[in-house]
Amino acid sequence: MNIVIQGVEICGVIAVLAEEMRAQGHSVVTIADHNPLYTKQYDHGLSNFFDKSDQSTFRNKRNRLSKAMSRVARPLSNRLSTSMRTKVCLKADLYLQVWSGWQGEYALLEQLSRRGVKIATMFMGSEVRYYPLFKKQYGEEDWVFPQQYGASRDEKLRRLQMHEKYADAIFSVPDQMGLATRPYHHIQVPINADDIDFNVPGRDRPLVVHAPTNRGVKGSEVIESALEQLRAEGVPFDYLPIDRIPHESLQNILSVADVLVDQVILHGPGWLGFEAMAAGCAVATRFLDSSPACFRPPVHSIDRRNIVGRLRELLTDQPRRCKLAVDGRRYVEANNSVSKVVENIIQCTLHSSASVKDYVPEVNASLPRIAH
């Protein structure tokens, strides 16, 4: 099967899925911009189709030519890039989009649908999460999110509705789907557990790690304030804050840490939480008790109102930390293998009408329908 994966690279997911799909015998083309924290390569660039992620002499020359074209004739270069990208996508049997929100996206979805290409969408977070609604749904009305997350309701609604109209299968989670009207599948995190060193240090004085991609969204001030309070009480632990280091280095740290404190506002575990579980960390994160049976990871649930007490319990209970670490690795191996995630994406997309959806949103009749 010919597969195209296009989108914004989050946590290396595009490269990881592509590698497994190729191993399963599929022909795969990846379209994504390079993420500086990952050493992944892609066939074409998202911002500029002619950008390549490897450093071969031929492709470097083509990149230089493309950049020169952009400087002297940017509109022409953009049209040519979009045209070439569309041609590649229309050759696919299955088109997988990761993230939403770039120029030409809606027109491409319509063309793919008309051509009969199967479409799968993976919503990754803030591209569709409408934060004012999220705050109301999950009791976070007094939380102030960073200004850059305040995109208009109409734009996020339009993104959702375009994919709800054209995609055969949508993969997401409830805390980013408050505007959704169509049932969807849980987005499972693909983890190559064999590539992650599993180690349970079992320290009496645990090493605690916090590695936020965005402090305002993860609730880092709340987390660090709670840790300071526990330190003042005399609870023994060491704390290592991490800020945007290369992915390989982060994985190495997780393999020697005891606890990952992930987030208290949004719901987890996400990519980092599952990697930590695979590495042998006990994971403390906000978790929705209403999650379906397909998403029941062994984590230590926290939120910003109970964090001090819940972290006190975890940091002073070495046997519990060790049990969470061992159970976490087993869970990842059983539920998050890349092969299993890929097979689920393909089956749910090719047999969309028969596949059972994990979430059925409550339809809000007051939502405006945006013209397509």
Side-chain angles (χ1 to χ4, degrees):
M1 184 163 55
N2 294 323
I3 301 174
V4 172
I5 310 177
Q6 176 172 232
V8 176
E9 183 60 289
I10 305 292
C11 304
V13 61
I14 292 176
V16 167
L17 293 177
E19 181 181 8
E20 175 60 29
M21 288 173 174
R22 289 176 181 131
Q24 293 185 12
H26 303 292
S27 174
V28 183
V29 175
T30 55
I31 305 173
D33 293 335
H34 175 65
N35 184 320
L37 300 181
Y38 291 81
T39 58
K40 306 295 186 182
Q41 296 186 350
Y42 311 95
D43 298 305
H44 304 280
L46 177 65
S47 301
N48 186 332
F49 183 79
F50 304 105
D51 283 346
K52 306 290 181 178
S53 62
D54 67 48
Q55 300 300 315
S56 68
T57 301
F58 172 75
R59 287 178 172 176
N60 274 344
K61 288 180 179 178
R62 187 184 297 188
N63 286 349
R64 288 196 293 271
L65 176 61
S66 174
K67 290 175 182 177
M69 286 178 60
S70 295
R71 285 193 296 270
V72 299
R74 186 173 299 276
L76 175 60
S77 176
N78 289 343
R79 287 198 297 272
L80 182 59
S81 174
T82 299
S83 175
M84 293 298 294
R85 192 160 41 131
T86 300
K87 286 182 179 179
V88 168
C89 293
L90 289 175
K91 293 178 181 178
D93 301 302
L94 187 152
Y95 169 81
L96 172 57
Q97 179 164 318
V98 178
W99 196 267
S100 173
W102 61 78
Q103 188 174 5
E105 173 188 349
Y106 304 150
L108 175 61
L109 290 172
E110 185 176 9
Q111 289 176 280
L112 290 166
S113 180
R114 286 204 309 265
R115 185 66 65 91
V117 176
K118 292 292 185 178
I119 300 171
T121 298
M122 295 176 69
F123 286 129
M124 307 299 291
S126 295
E127 84 272 38
V128 291
R129 184 187 291 112
Y130 181 53
Y131 282 89
L133 182 55
F134 165 87
K135 291 164 70 171
K136 183 179 296 186
Q137 287 179 315
Y138 295 103
E140 300 292 350
E141 287 92 341
D142 57 337
W143 187 259
V144 179
F145 285 99
Q147 187 174 0
Q148 65 265 34
Y149 291 91
S152 75
R153 179 175 182 261
D154 284 352
E155 177 56 31
K156 297 197 174 187
L157 185 58
R158 179 175 174 82
R159 289 174 187 170
L160 267 168
Q161 290 181 354
M162 289 298 292
H163 286 271
E164 287 183 333
K165 179 176 181 180
Y166 293 118
D168 294 279
I170 294 174
F171 301 86
S172 191
V173 290
D175 81 346
Q176 61 196 32
M177 296 291 278
L179 297 173
T181 60
R182 179 182 140 182
Y184 57 95
H185 302 279
H186 183 85
I187 183 170
Q188 297 286 5
V189 174
I191 298 292
N192 278 320
D194 290 342
D195 295 338
I196 299 176
D197 291 334
F198 176 62
N199 176 51
V200 183
R203 300 180 182 91
D204 291 327
R205 182 186 179 93
L207 173 60
V208 179
V209 169
H210 178 53
T213 50
N214 185 298
R215 292 177 59 84
V217 170
K218 298 291 187 178
S220 297
E221 289 188 6
V222 172
I223 290 169
E224 293 182 339
S225 175
L227 290 172
E228 282 299 316
Q229 182 174 332
L230 292 171
R231 189 188 301 279
E233 293 178 6
V235 175
F237 67 92
D238 294 303
Y239 174 54
L240 179 62
I242 298 173
D243 182 26
R244 297 188 65 80
I245 65 174
H247 181 247
E248 184 176 349
S249 299
L250 176 57
Q251 283 191 331
N252 290 336
I253 291 172
L254 293 175
S255 291
V256 298
D258 295 271
V259 175
L260 170 75
V261 183
D262 194 12
Q263 54 190 339
V264 293
I265 305 300
L266 303 182
H267 304 127
W271 256 261
L272 178 61
F274 278 105
E275 287 183 329
M277 290 164 62
C281 282
V283 174
T285 190
R286 190 172 185 185
F287 176 74
L288 285 180
D289 290 334
S290 59
S291 296
C294 68
F295 185 60
R296 288 286 169 175
V299 296
H300 192 74
S301 181
I302 58 175
D303 60 46
R304 65 186 177 107
R305 295 171 180 85
N306 69 13
I307 183 172
V308 173
R310 291 288 288 165
L311 283 186
R312 185 188 296 111
E313 293 172 9
L314 184 62
L315 298 184
T316 57
D317 191 342
Q318 189 257 12
R320 173 162 173 74
R321 294 195 303 271
C322 291
K323 185 177 188 306
L324 281 172
V326 172
D327 290 348
R329 174 75 178 204
R330 289 174 179 164
Y331 183 94
V332 170
E333 291 175 339
N335 296 276
N336 295 91
S337 69
V338 184
S339 61
K340 185 171 184 176
V341 172
V342 164
E343 290 167 6
N344 184 60
I345 290 172
I346 291 175
Q347 290 304 311
C348 288
T349 306
L350 297 185
H351 308 287
S352 56
S353 59
S355 61
V356 178
K357 312 305 185 290
D358 299 307
Y359 303 102
V360 179
E362 295 182 7
V363 178
N364 187 344
S366 67
L367 287 178
R369 304 306 297 178
I370 296 179
H372 299 142

